[in-house]
Amino acid sequence: MTGRVCALGSTPHYISVRPADAEPLRGALAAMLLRVAAIWLLLAVPVLASSIAATNANAADGAPDAVTSAAAPLDVVVTIKPIHSLVAQVMEGVGEPSLLVEGSASPHSFSLKPSQVGAINRATVFFRVSEWLEPFTGKVVRALPASVELVTLMDAPELKLLPRRKTGTFEPHDHAGEHAHHHDSDHSHHNSHDDVGSSDSHIWLDPQNAKYLVSHIADVLSKHYPAHAAKFAANAEAAHGRIDALAAELENDLRAVQDRPFIVFHDAYQYFDARFALNAVGSITISPDVRPSAKRLSELRRRIRSLKAACVFAEPMYQPRLVKAVIEGTDARSGTLDPEGMLLKPGPDLYEKLMRNLAADLNRCLANAASEG
């Protein structure tokens, strides 16, 4: 028996508490705690189950949580300026993609810095055109983390692909039939897995292909960032309208020089030539990184004379002396074309500027040559 002193008045009194008397109190307290725990479990289990189910559903669909997508920055990396411009148009008002090949660098000879490899590995989406056009992507894409989606745009649906030419002497296109019936032309065909490896990768130079690329880019981004899907779709639709207007403008601008034969530095322009019915008859080199032989330069001079080629076009940063050597002793003029926007500031407006510059530079040389002739 234990005792406790209680002061009642001036005389202390002892109250006895027997151990057996405390047992009912402890039992009541335990029962109350059990009831509280049961109520908590009844409330918490459905919430936890719902959260787990939502997480599993998102993982199964390959889509991130919409709330997270809205709050998190868009981590998108793009290889070259023309494609960066199209991606930037789709992302406008939501985020900005990162560009790898900046300034006047060429994708054909570009090398990645360690910091750029890190940026690719941290990205949600990595856009490139093809390993043939961007050989620097080959090694890094084979070691990409599973968290990064690689989008090779040569695989985009609906593209019209042209076969990569094997020589620097071009056979004439059936421009009338190809321009009017672009979808059924013998020179162009819908994308398939077997076509991609042997196809020309300069796909953005056909405005219709650019529209297909924009649609595919919007679809890919919407999958990863569903909270912005409506914005991506609206931006893509606006880009389609601008590209349609651009194509009509360039068709009108180039109509006067469609029949004038010309030679380009390397074979990068056949999508542009085919779309606008231009008359490119050859290239100085098949690849910009392969210097043509003396024999090839002699053949080109003969071809310039026999076909009465009006112009020979160089490219920024690529040996302008070669063009001077080719036109020596001929009546051809020289000009410069920039198919990749090397001299342009990157951003959503670059694509339209690039295409307008191509048309203006072609017109400037070919029209002047026609007036002199």
Side-chain angles (χ1 to χ4, degrees):
M1 182 177 68
T2 60
R4 186 170 57 183
V5 177
C6 292
L8 298 174
S10 58
T11 305
H13 295 268
Y14 288 89
I15 299 174
S16 298
V17 178
R18 305 164 73 92
D21 295 337
E23 288 302 325
L25 291 174
R26 283 199 291 267
L29 180 61
M32 183 177 68
L33 290 175
L34 285 173
R35 283 196 294 272
V36 170
I39 293 170
W40 184 88
L41 286 172
L42 287 172
L43 294 173
V45 167
V47 174
L48 290 172
S50 176
S51 177
I52 292 169
T55 301
N56 290 339
N58 284 337
D61 293 340
D65 180 73
V67 174
T68 302
S69 297
L74 279 64
D75 205 346
V76 178
V77 176
V78 187
T79 49
I80 60 173
K81 287 182 180 179
I83 303 304
H84 176 268
S85 178
L86 297 177
V87 175
Q89 290 183 49
V90 175
M91 292 177 62
E92 198 160 21
V94 178
E96 295 181 6
S98 299
L99 173 65
L100 294 178
V101 185
E102 297 183 298
S104 58
S106 165
H108 299 281
S109 55
F110 184 76
S111 296
L112 287 167
K113 300 174 184 176
S115 60
Q116 292 174 315
V117 174
I120 294 170
N121 288 337
R122 291 189 300 272
T124 301
V125 184
F126 176 38
F127 288 105
R128 69 172 181 176
V129 178
S130 71
E131 191 165 334
W132 182 85
L133 182 73
E134 301 131 327
F136 67 89
T137 64
K139 184 177 179 180
V140 70
V141 301
R142 283 186 275 277
L144 278 181
S147 57
V148 184
E149 180 177 358
L150 170 67
V151 180
T152 298
L153 290 171
M154 286 288 286
D155 296 328
E158 303 300 325
L159 286 183
K160 308 300 187 300
L161 299 179
L162 296 173
R164 200 159 61 235
R165 292 184 281 215
K166 305 300 183 185
T167 71
T169 300
F170 305 159
E171 295 302 319
H173 287 279
D174 177 11
H175 291 307
E178 186 170 307
H179 187 60
H181 305 289
H182 188 58
H183 292 273
D184 300 320
S185 167
D186 291 337
H187 295 282
S188 62
H189 42 271
H190 286 283
N191 189 358
S192 73
H193 179 74
D194 294 334
D195 296 332
V196 171
S198 60
S199 297
D200 188 333
S201 292
H202 300 84
I203 48 178
W204 65 89
L205 292 178
D206 179 348
Q208 185 61 46
N209 275 348
K211 290 174 62 179
Y212 292 136
L213 292 175
V214 164
S215 295
H216 186 53
I217 290 164
D219 289 343
V220 170
L221 293 177
S222 295
K223 179 178 69 174
H224 288 277
Y225 303 102
H228 303 301
K231 182 64 172 175
F232 295 145
N235 285 347
E237 185 176 357
H240 287 173
R242 290 192 298 270
I243 293 170
D244 283 338
L246 174 68
E249 173 191 327
L250 299 187
E251 184 174 351
N252 183 65
D253 290 347
L254 291 165
R255 188 172 291 116
V257 297
Q258 285 177 334
D259 296 328
R260 300 291 294 173
F262 62 93
I263 289 174
V264 295
F265 179 74
H266 88 284
D267 188 11
Y269 305 90
Q270 66 168 323
Y271 288 101
F272 194 87
D273 299 342
R275 176 62 179 82
F276 298 108
L278 300 175
N279 191 20
V281 295
S283 65
I284 295 175
T285 180
I286 298 173
S287 169
D289 301 311
V290 178
R291 184 181 178 87
S293 65
K295 179 181 178 182
R296 173 63 185 158
L297 296 180
S298 297
E299 290 173 354
L300 281 170
R301 290 191 196 98
R302 288 195 296 271
R303 189 163 178 80
I304 290 170
R305 294 189 188 99
S306 65
L307 294 174
K308 298 184 180 344
C311 294
V312 178
F313 291 97
E315 291 179 17
M317 323 310 287
Y318 283 129
Q319 304 179 20
R321 293 191 304 274
L322 277 178
V323 172
K324 292 181 180 178
V326 168
I327 64 175
E328 186 178 353
T330 74
D331 295 327
R333 295 167 55 90
S334 64
T336 301
L337 299 175
D338 183 8
E340 292 160 7
M342 287 183 176
L343 302 180
L344 297 176
K345 180 181 177 181
D349 298 332
L350 178 140
Y351 180 75
E352 292 179 57
K353 291 178 181 176
L354 183 156
M355 298 291 279
R356 286 193 175 97
N357 285 354
L358 284 179
D361 291 335
L362 283 161
N363 247 325
R364 187 176 300 112
C365 187
L366 295 175
N368 287 339
S371 63
E372 290 176 3

